[in-house]
Amino acid sequence: MFLDTVLTRNPALVETATALHVSGAIGPDTYVVDADAVEANAALLAAGAERLGLSLWFVVKQFGRNPALIRAVARHIPRFAAIDPSEARALHAAGARAGNLGHLVQIPRRALPGMLAWRPEAVTVFDLANARAVSDAAGGLGLVQDVFVRIEAAPGSGHPGQEGGVPLEALDGFAAAVERLPSVRIAGVTAFPCVLCAPDTGRPVPTATFELVREAREVLTAHGHRGLGLSAPGATSVAALPLLARLGATHGEPGHSLTGTTPLHAADPHQPERPAYVYVTEVAHTLADGRPALFGGGFYARSGVRSALLPRTGLRLRVGDAPAENIDYYRLLDPPGTGSGEVRAGDTAVLAFRTQIFVTRSTVAVVTGLTGGKPRLTGLYDARGRALEGAAL
């Protein structure tokens, strides 16, 4: 999906990743991430948001909750949106500041006191029971916690496994009940996804859910709430920021734009954010019909993966489709054409596709110094951001 873009915009990353694998410094099933590119992308997003009067909360699940990368982003975007408690703890431990907690996964009740003690800007609540739990925990700490109301997605707009939120038609009653809670204050609204990339062009477009969230803010304003925030997560990139500002959002939540890997970046290699990671694996064996099999572990069902580069020969081979319900022990390539060169077991393969590293079993290798011509491997981590033993480089 992104191989052409990364070869155009960040060829040194491909060269460095290949050299690391050939030397044995990294193994197959490794994402190699250019920390300098991630930081530069964060700086671009922060500057763009500031020009438009927007605030940003950054998201890190896609690059494995990696502490080195979290610190690189937080130098420009200090506050985060954590998609679940595990991610919140990783972000907090890396020194980032809590922006929005609970925005995809509600905070378990027993975890609330500890996380509210971090003084997050907002906690997203999906229903009255969770709002009451936040109020109870905040009251125990002697504070009043701002909450963002999660609005139920428009029909056909939400994703399976992410259900929940207050239906627009029930918002009046919900707001009246929350107003009676002593230790929370309604400070804004949110939902997901508010923006998606158009399938044909990759351009960011608002969803029907975004319109519901805007209507929800009007309902709450009529209820007497003033100065309400509106966080509009989904495909937040430099190109999407003007759209957010025009439609009245106050917050965006950049994730894949930090690594230059939104669908827009695949369609348009000239977007300001540079691609910042590649996936490195190797040929494990070749089937009798000539199809090479790559070691898996890091492939993602919604990746849009299309081709693999085998740097030893320069071959570009199509990646075969694979059903999402199967474990990716291997991933098959099309057989090389006659006279195009042989494929050997152990050959390096470099791919670039959309991922969510935190749901893989991959290693993450962080590199720096690519733009200055002095690449350096600075650390190896697991897919949840934990440093691997013996990998202090």
Side-chain angles (χ1 to χ4, degrees):
M1 184 177 185
F2 298 105
L3 191 52
D4 288 329
T5 301
V6 75
L7 286 167
T8 300
R9 296 289 307 281
N10 200 350
L13 176 56
V14 176
E15 295 165 6
T16 299
T18 300
L20 288 170
H21 180 256
V22 170
S23 72
I26 62 172
D29 186 22
T30 297
Y31 284 93
V32 182
V33 188
D34 179 351
D36 298 336
V38 170
E39 182 162 357
N41 292 340
L44 285 170
L45 285 155
E50 185 176 12
R51 283 193 297 271
L52 293 166
L54 294 167
S55 296
L56 297 178
W57 292 322
F58 72 95
V59 178
V60 301
K61 61 190 174 74
Q62 67 287 346
F63 57 64
R65 303 168 174 174
N66 186 280
L69 302 175
I70 289 169
R71 288 190 288 269
V73 174
R75 284 192 279 271
H76 305 276
I77 305 171
R79 291 188 179 270
F80 62 79
I83 63 106
D84 64 19
S86 178
E87 183 163 295
R89 293 185 184 100
L91 284 151
H92 179 71
R97 296 159 62 192
N100 185 12
L101 302 182
H103 92 142
L104 285 186
V105 178
Q106 293 286 266
I107 304 171
R109 297 179 184 216
R110 293 170 186 82
L112 277 167
M115 291 190 179
L116 295 188
W118 302 343
R119 302 305 302 268
E121 282 189 290
V123 173
T124 293
V125 293
F126 283 43
D127 61 12
L128 184 58
N130 276 282
R132 187 176 292 115
V134 173
S135 180
D136 290 346
L141 296 170
L143 56 88
V144 175
Q145 175 63 55
D146 282 352
V147 296
F148 271 43
V149 182
R150 160 82 170 226
I151 304 302
E152 185 178 61
S157 178
H159 298 315
Q162 298 181 22
E163 297 87 355
V166 179
L168 185 64
E169 61 272 17
L171 187 56
D172 268 323
F174 174 84
V178 172
E179 286 161 6
R180 292 192 289 271
L181 298 175
S183 298
V184 291
R185 182 182 78 91
I186 294 176
V189 289
T190 189
F192 187 83
C194 290
V195 178
L196 290 173
C197 292
D200 52 345
T201 65
R203 303 301 302 181
V205 293
T207 66
T209 294
F210 199 160
E211 183 55 36
L212 282 183
V213 176
R214 297 174 72 203
E215 291 177 30
R217 183 164 62 177
E218 292 177 4
V219 169
L220 291 172
T221 299
H223 221 272
H225 298 277
R226 297 289 182 266
L228 293 172
L230 191 163
S231 186
T236 303
S237 64
V238 170
L241 295 177
L243 170 69
L244 298 186
R246 177 169 58 82
L247 293 180
T250 58
H251 293 75
E253 299 183 12
H256 270 284
S257 57
L258 295 167
T259 49
T261 52
T262 77
L264 176 59
H265 294 87
D268 180 3
H270 303 295
Q271 287 299 304
E273 299 99 331
R274 279 198 304 143
Y277 68 75
V278 292
Y279 182 63
V280 178
T281 187
E282 69 182 65
V283 176
H285 57 276
T286 299
L287 276 62
D289 61 9
R291 287 180 294 169
L294 302 179
F295 287 110
F299 291 96
Y300 175 64
R302 296 170 54 212
S303 68
V305 62
R306 294 171 187 160
S307 65
L309 171 68
L310 305 181
R312 184 181 64 81
T313 59
L315 281 173
R316 285 276 293 269
L317 299 178
R318 192 186 78 86
V319 180
D321 295 332
E325 61 268 23
N326 285 28
I327 299 170
D328 65 328
Y329 296 111
Y330 300 103
R331 197 67 184 266
L332 297 177
L333 305 180
D334 281 359
T338 303
S340 59
E342 65 172 336
V343 176
R344 302 173 186 166
D347 274 351
T348 303
V350 179
L351 304 93
F353 49 80
R354 186 174 175 85
T355 190
Q356 298 285 348
I357 292 176
F358 83 113
V359 298
T360 73
R361 55 189 188 275
S362 303
T363 297
V364 176
V366 177
V367 297
T368 60
L370 272 63
T371 54
K374 296 181 179 179
R376 179 170 173 254
L377 175 61
T378 60
L380 295 174
Y381 304 83
D382 70 10
R384 296 185 64 185
R386 296 171 294 204
L388 296 176
E389 187 175 352
L393 302 171

